Amino acid sequence: MLKVAIVGASGYTGVELLRILHSHPEVAVTCVTSEQSAGRPVSSVFPSLRGRCDIVLENLEPVGIAEKVDIVFTALPHKAAMEVVPTFMKMGKDVIDLSADYRIHDADTYGKWYEPHLNPELLPEAVYGIPELRRAEIAEASLIANPGCYPTSVILGLAPLLKGKVIDPKSIIVDAASGTSGAGRGAKVDNLYCEVNEGFRAYGVGGVHRHIPEIEQELSLLAGIPLNITFTPHLVPMDRGILSTIYSQPGGSVKASDLIALYEAFYDGEPFVRVLPEGVLPSTAHVRGSNFCDIGVTVDQRTGRVIVISAIDNLVKGASGQAVQNMNLMCGLPETLGLDLLPVFP
Ligand SMILES: NC(=O)C1=CN([C@@H]2O[C@H](COP(=O)(O)OP(=O)(O)OC[C@H]3O[C@@H](n4cnc5c(N)ncnc54)[C@H](OP(=O)(O)O)[C@@H]3O)[C@@H](O)[C@H]2O)C=CC1
Ligand SMILES: CC(=O)N[C@@H](CCC(=O)OP(=O)(O)O)C(=O)O
């Protein structure tokens, strides 16, 4: 049995890790932390857990935590994560970090979009944890930079087109929409019920959203050239889910059926990517609570542009589910363990 700590278990991705790992047959969650609720059972913060998981939240004391677990999930805001990850690493623990702190390979780029990096020496050993593209490296890694939610949906949505050199990589435009849990559980006026309910709005418009450097880094690696994208996030009045609509210009005339065949071949055997048949498009409702990424592909009949639509649950494939998928790979366990039976709502 692997002993696991969830650091930041009183947040949305932390409790999602708890939900998934609670029924994982090879894992015992032996430590959970919170900043404001230490000393209370996690079930008092999330009453749905009452009687099923009443483990008590602890303060974040990295040395003490590292002494009693094998693996640490850090589900903290960026900066708070890089303040503690080095201690876990020095004590020989595998770390899966859900924050953005180790996703950007270049410390200067991280500094430009976030803040000065506290331990840039760890960046070269961090593996960007997207299993469909980097399975072998993840299996050997000790530090996983678990991808962001928007980036997961965009990278999986575009990988076959970029690897297959089907599109002009400089033509990519992404409109993506997220449920409000994407912003975390902390109180913010912008996320109050009256601000969000019955509205639908763009934010971070004009090339300023922090996921841009992360998406561009990974798409550039796929394309083999540096590229820039236009990315506009939106906030949807729903709890969970991300739907990304991705436009690009193909090199010549293409047919939807050929593109779907390309996607099916690229993701053949992937347990968590579902390429949808021609004419069928994804919905966040169909992936809610699951680790699936659903992808639909079509061609605009008038302009010839390729349109890819991808849907994930931001808290599962966009965060905690992907983190568990990475943990399974790191530990030599079946990749789908604890994830294949997650409930999918009809
Ligand atoms: N929400 C999402 O869809 C996704 C989030 N992420 C990333 O995952 C990380 C966690 O996100 P999320 O769960 O949404 O965030 P939340 O705000 O919901 O939770 C944050 C957690 O970290 C704890 N915490 C905050 N600051 C500190 C600190 N200084 N020291 C110790 N503990 C602290 C909080 O404790 P307390 O409750 O006591 O304040 C809470 O447990 C973030 O980096 C986020 O960007 C990545 C992909 C998707
Ligand atoms: C709806 C919403 O606010 N979403 C968040 C997603 C950020 C996130 O969780 O990603 P990181 O892990 O990279 O911080 C945002 O746009 O900032």
Side-chain angles (χ1 to χ4, degrees), residues 246-303:
I246 308 166
Y247 308 91
S248 61
Q249 194 65 51
S253 143
V254 288
K255 287 202 306 204
S257 55
D258 291 340
L259 295 180
I260 289 167
L262 173 80
Y263 273 69
E264 283 172 343
F266 192 91
Y267 289 121
D268 186 32
E270 286 299 342
F272 296 118
V273 179
R274 299 189 295 198
V275 179
L276 303 184
E278 192 169 353
V280 180
L281 294 175
S283 163
T284 56
H286 304 156
V287 294
R288 186 177 160 79
S290 82
N291 199 46
F292 288 121
C293 174
D294 281 2
I295 301 177
V297 187
T298 191
V299 178
D300 184 320
Q301 295 187 4
R302 293 172 51 257
T303 64

Side-chain angles (χ1 to χ4, degrees), residues 295-323:
I295 301 177
V297 187
T298 191
V299 178
D300 184 320
Q301 295 187 4
R302 293 172 51 257
T303 64
R305 284 192 194 100
V306 178
I307 304 174
V308 178
I309 303 182
S310 71
I312 58 170
D313 185 322
N314 56 297
L315 292 177
V316 190
K317 186 61 175 164
S320 307
Q322 185 142 263

Side-chain angles (χ1 to χ4, degrees), residues 120-313:
E121 69 283 0
L122 285 180
L123 292 174
E125 68 178 282
V127 174
Y128 190 78
I130 193 145
E132 291 75 10
L133 302 177
R134 215 158 280 147
R135 190 163 273 120
E137 280 177 75
I138 293 167
E140 299 299 318
S142 297
L143 173 57
I144 294 292
N146 210 61
C149 43
Y150 286 124
T152 296
S153 70
V154 176
I155 295 162
L156 290 176
L158 279 169
L161 292 179
L162 289 171
K163 275 287 214 190
K165 304 211 178 302
V166 176
I167 55 164
D168 170 3
K170 305 210 164 161
S171 69
I172 296 166
I173 296 175
V174 182
D175 285 332
S178 172
T180 53
S181 61
R185 196 166 191 246
K188 295 169 203 111
V189 170
D190 274 355
N191 299 334
L192 291 172
Y193 182 82
C194 289
E195 307 295 323
V196 174
N197 188 42
E198 296 177 18
F200 175 59
R201 63 182 156 87
Y203 67 101
V205 181
V208 298
H209 193 276
R210 281 175 172 160
H211 281 168
I212 288 174
E214 181 181 336
I215 296 171
E216 289 182 347
Q217 168 183 289
E218 295 303 310
L219 297 187
S220 298
L221 288 170
L222 286 163
I225 52 162
L227 56 85
N228 294 132
I229 60 160
T230 297
F231 172 73
T232 306
H234 298 73
L235 196 59
V236 195
M238 60 186 188
D239 295 349
R240 304 167 167 243
I242 284 184
L243 191 84
S244 291
T245 305
I246 308 166
Y247 308 91
S248 61
Q249 194 65 51
S253 143
V254 288
K255 287 202 306 204
S257 55
D258 291 340
L259 295 180
I260 289 167
L262 173 80
Y263 273 69
E264 283 172 343
F266 192 91
Y267 289 121
D268 186 32
E270 286 299 342
F272 296 118
V273 179
R274 299 189 295 198
V275 179
L276 303 184
E278 192 169 353
V280 180
L281 294 175
S283 163
T284 56
H286 304 156
V287 294
R288 186 177 160 79
S290 82
N291 199 46
F292 288 121
C293 174
D294 281 2
I295 301 177
V297 187
T298 191
V299 178
D300 184 320
Q301 295 187 4
R302 293 172 51 257
T303 64
R305 284 192 194 100
V306 178
I307 304 174
V308 178
I309 303 182
S310 71
I312 58 170
D313 185 322

Side-chain angles (χ1 to χ4, degrees), residues 4-206:
V4 163
I6 303 173
V7 174
S10 52
Y12 283 148
T13 60
V15 73
E16 195 68 12
L17 279 167
L18 205 50
R19 176 176 83 92
I20 296 168
L21 292 175
H22 189 59
S23 49
H24 191 294
E26 297 293 336
V27 165
V29 177
T30 55
C31 173
V32 289
T33 81
S34 166
E35 193 178 36
Q36 299 174 65
S37 302
R40 293 169 51 190
V42 68
S43 54
S44 74
V45 180
F46 296 106
S48 61
L49 296 175
R50 196 177 300 279
R52 304 194 72 193
C53 179
D54 297 299
I55 185 169
V56 174
L57 293 157
E58 301 176 25
N59 281 315
L60 173 44
E61 283 160 12
V63 173
I65 292 169
E67 278 168 353
K68 56 186 178 188
V69 300
D70 306 306
I71 298 182
V72 181
F73 290 88
T74 41
L76 299 170
H78 65 85
K79 183 150 188 272
M82 63 179 164
E83 284 170 353
V84 294
V85 165
T87 306
F88 295 127
M89 299 293 294
K90 273 190 207 115
M91 292 183 69
K93 304 302 159 185
D94 285 344
V95 176
I96 300 166
D97 177 39
L98 280 76
S99 86
D101 284 348
Y102 299 95
R103 295 181 199 152
I104 309 288
H105 300 151
D106 178 51
D108 290 339
T109 307
Y110 180 89
K112 182 175 153 219
W113 290 82
Y114 291 85
E115 53 205 297
H117 207 287
L118 300 178
N119 29 79
E121 69 283 0
L122 285 180
L123 292 174
E125 68 178 282
V127 174
Y128 190 78
I130 193 145
E132 291 75 10
L133 302 177
R134 215 158 280 147
R135 190 163 273 120
E137 280 177 75
I138 293 167
E140 299 299 318
S142 297
L143 173 57
I144 294 292
N146 210 61
C149 43
Y150 286 124
T152 296
S153 70
V154 176
I155 295 162
L156 290 176
L158 279 169
L161 292 179
L162 289 171
K163 275 287 214 190
K165 304 211 178 302
V166 176
I167 55 164
D168 170 3
K170 305 210 164 161
S171 69
I172 296 166
I173 296 175
V174 182
D175 285 332
S178 172
T180 53
S181 61
R185 196 166 191 246
K188 295 169 203 111
V189 170
D190 274 355
N191 299 334
L192 291 172
Y193 182 82
C194 289
E195 307 295 323
V196 174
N197 188 42
E198 296 177 18
F200 175 59
R201 63 182 156 87
Y203 67 101
V205 181

